[in-house]
Amino acid sequence: MEDGRPSAEAGLFALEAVVVGQPKRSRWRRYLGPALAVSTVAGTPLAQVTYTDDTHCFMTDASGERVVRIEQFGPAEFRFTDATDQEVGTASTGRFAKTWQLRLGTVQGRRLFLTRRGPLSTEWQLTETDPDQGPAPEVLGRVTVSTIDAWIGLQQYVVETAPALDTSERRTVIASVVCLHLLRRPPGSSSAPA
């Protein structure tokens, strides 16, 4: 926070609902824009995600300031750092079916789970305990995926979180949705999502 105003990063991650999606593009021209865009549900742009290579990407706010760097280790382990290169979260999966569950770690050490209930489900639920390990946990949020252009295969993720999550936890959840997209459709891939 500078001169009494909240930072753009705090504003971006303070929202309880955002959309992470592939920007629309022409079918006939090479697309040179960001890989993903983050916006409000009403469509106001908030941030964009740009890949630097197959293992690194950056989320920058509307002013171009980096708010999150996402680094991939191995097939399904990710680390999130802020603009000062401090670790602010992680995401990983130990399962072979790598798009069924992501385990998230927040900067405070809180563990969260983003779990899809089945191969045909378009919704992931955010919980504090693993839904496969006991009674149904409290749902702290959900991520709903849809295809916004079936011919090109563009994906959109609506991210809804409970008011109980703070901005740093929302930052981890939104960054993990970028990871979810990378796992389902790696950069440069033209194949259908898993």
Side-chain angles (χ1 to χ4, degrees):
M1 185 178 290
E2 293 177 23
D3 56 28
R5 292 178 303 187
S7 68
E9 178 181 341
L12 166 63
F13 301 121
L15 298 172
E16 292 176 18
V18 297
V19 176
V20 177
Q22 294 177 279
K24 292 188 178 181
R25 56 201 71 181
S26 170
R27 295 179 178 129
W28 297 277
R29 288 190 214 130
R30 181 180 163 102
Y31 177 73
L32 299 174
L36 296 169
V38 182
S39 64
T40 64
V41 174
T44 304
L46 299 169
Q48 61 185 27
V49 177
T50 305
Y51 302 131
T52 56
D53 57 37
D54 285 347
T55 59
H56 295 83
C57 61
F58 292 95
M59 182 183 300
T60 55
D61 65 18
S63 69
E65 294 291 320
R66 186 181 95 190
V67 292
V68 177
R69 176 182 181 208
I70 300 170
E71 190 173 5
Q72 183 173 358
F73 300 96
E77 290 187 43
F78 301 88
R79 182 176 77 134
F80 314 137
T81 55
D82 64 12
T84 63
D85 288 326
Q86 297 296 312
E87 185 172 307
V88 294
T90 61
S92 65
T93 180
R95 296 180 176 197
F96 178 72
K98 60 187 176 183
T99 59
W100 285 43
Q101 185 179 76
L102 282 176
R103 294 176 299 207
L104 313 181
T106 67
V107 71
Q108 298 93 345
R110 186 176 186 186
R111 303 295 300 171
L112 298 170
F113 295 86
L114 191 59
T115 308
R116 181 167 65 160
R117 299 310 295 163
L120 300 179
S121 177
T122 60
E123 180 181 283
W124 285 260
Q125 292 185 344
L126 181 69
T127 58
E128 197 164 7
T129 57
D130 187 341
D132 296 334
Q133 300 298 317
E138 176 187 2
V139 176
L140 299 172
R142 61 186 86 259
V143 175
T144 308
V145 66
S146 60
T147 301
I148 56 172
D149 186 322
W151 196 64
I152 298 176
L154 301 181
Q155 300 291 301
Q156 172 179 282
Y157 303 81
V158 177
V159 183
E160 300 169 289
T161 56
L165 269 64
D166 67 23
T167 56
S168 67
E169 292 166 334
R170 285 195 182 100
R171 174 179 52 204
T172 298
V173 172
I174 292 169
S176 73
V177 171
V178 173
C179 300
L180 181 65
H181 179 77
L182 289 169
L183 292 172
R184 297 181 77 236
R185 182 185 299 275
S189 173
S190 60
S191 62

